[in-house]
């Protein structure tokens, strides 16, 4: 990884990180270990502006690209051994924009994610599959910053059933395709800070 920062004056800083590491596993929920034998690597980059204040605020953009090599299963419920399944290869590219804005009276957190997966072998039903998601959370700080009422909205949009990669699950050499639903939720609650290390929270979620 290569990283650093530029000082812009008035305590403003611009941070950057560029890195390369292990890429996606054969299923989206599988662990990726440091000694991953796969030749596929993922390249990532991040740039963010840090703004001083009551607490540091930041605005940034990150992205990644890498190749996914796994198996193709056509329909929900399909099961196959890796050796018997048709191969699938996709190029994934994504962007993530975020903001964390802090003041003594309120905070605002927001994030938008977009990823695109392109078929590299020409054996899928569509050439590209996209996923979008985002969240926004606003909080008010009361009683000298000890009580924090907050409201949050989360949303994730997926290709049908999760698409050919996000719907894959594996168990050893066996793969299966499951249904992965889209997600949308509104969450409200109140957090109370007992001290610097302990927070109590009660919330209600509707989705």
């Amino acid at each position: 990884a290569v990283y650093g920062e530029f000082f812009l004056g008035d305590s403003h800083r611009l941070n950057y990180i560029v890195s390369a590491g292990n890429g996606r596993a054969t299923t989206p929920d599988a662990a990726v270990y440091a000694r991953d034998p796969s030749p596929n690597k993922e390249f990532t980059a991040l740039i963010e502006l840090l703004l001083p204040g009551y607490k540091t605020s930041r605005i940034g953009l990150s992205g990644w690209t890498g190749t996914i090599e796994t198996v193709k299963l056509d329909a929900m419920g399909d099961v196959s051994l890796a050796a018997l399944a048709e191969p699938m290869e996709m190029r994934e590219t994504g962007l993530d924009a975020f903001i964390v804005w802090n003041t003594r009276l309120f905070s605002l957190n927001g994030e938008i994610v977009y990823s695109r997966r392109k078929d590299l072998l020409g054996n899928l039903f569509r050439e590209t599959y996209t996923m979008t998601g985002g969240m926004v959370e606003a909080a008010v700080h009361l009683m000298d910053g000890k009580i924090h009422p907050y409201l949050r909205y989360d949303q994730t949009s997926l290709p049908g059933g999760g698409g050919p990669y996000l719907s894959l699950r594996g168990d050893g050499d066996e793969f299966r395709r499951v249904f992965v639903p889209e997600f949308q939720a509104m969450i409200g609650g109140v957090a109370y800070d007992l001290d610097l290390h302990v927070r109590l929270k009660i919330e209600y979620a509707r989705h």
Side-chain angles (χ1 to χ4, degrees), residues 4-8 11-16 47-50 59:
E5 61 182 6
F6 299 101
F7 293 93
L8 305 179
S11 298
H12 293 56
R13 304 195 313 273
L14 190 67
N15 288 354
Y16 67 89
I47 186 168
E48 63 177 358
L49 176 65
L50 275 63
I59 302 171

Side-chain angles (χ1 to χ4, degrees), residues 138-158:
V140 179
H141 310 306
L142 307 175
M143 293 184 61
D144 295 325
K146 288 185 174 295
I147 296 181
H148 315 274
Y150 62 91
L151 188 64
R152 175 180 173 131
Y153 174 74
D154 283 9
Q155 181 268 336
T156 304
S157 297
L158 302 172

Side-chain angles (χ1 to χ4, degrees), residues 23 36 48 50 52 58 87 115 119 131-132 134 142 145 150 164 179 184 196 204:
D36 182 9
E48 63 177 358
L50 275 63
R58 61 188 65 213
S115 73
D119 176 19
M131 183 277 290
T132 60
L142 307 175
Y150 62 91
F179 179 79
Q184 188 174 15
L196 291 175
Y204 172 78

Side-chain angles (χ1 to χ4, degrees), residues 62-74:
S62 65
W64 71 94
T65 185
T67 302
I68 301 168
E69 289 186 350
T70 183
V71 301
K72 174 192 173 189
L73 298 178
D74 289 331

Side-chain angles (χ1 to χ4, degrees), residues 96-101 108-112 135-137:
D96 185 315
F98 60 91
I99 180 172
V100 179
W101 194 267
L108 177 67
N109 296 337
E111 184 175 14
I112 298 175
M135 60 79 61
V136 60
E137 178 179 291

Side-chain angles (χ1 to χ4, degrees), residues 102-147:
N102 293 309
T103 72
R104 189 175 295 274
L105 296 179
F106 73 91
S107 297
L108 177 67
N109 296 337
E111 184 175 14
I112 298 175
V113 180
Y114 169 87
S115 73
R116 176 179 180 267
R117 298 176 187 88
K118 182 179 181 181
D119 176 19
L120 297 181
L121 300 181
N123 61 348
L124 299 180
F125 295 111
R126 288 159 47 187
E127 183 180 6
T128 61
Y129 297 81
T130 60
M131 183 277 290
T132 60
M135 60 79 61
V136 60
E137 178 179 291
V140 179
H141 310 306
L142 307 175
M143 293 184 61
D144 295 325
K146 288 185 174 295
I147 296 181

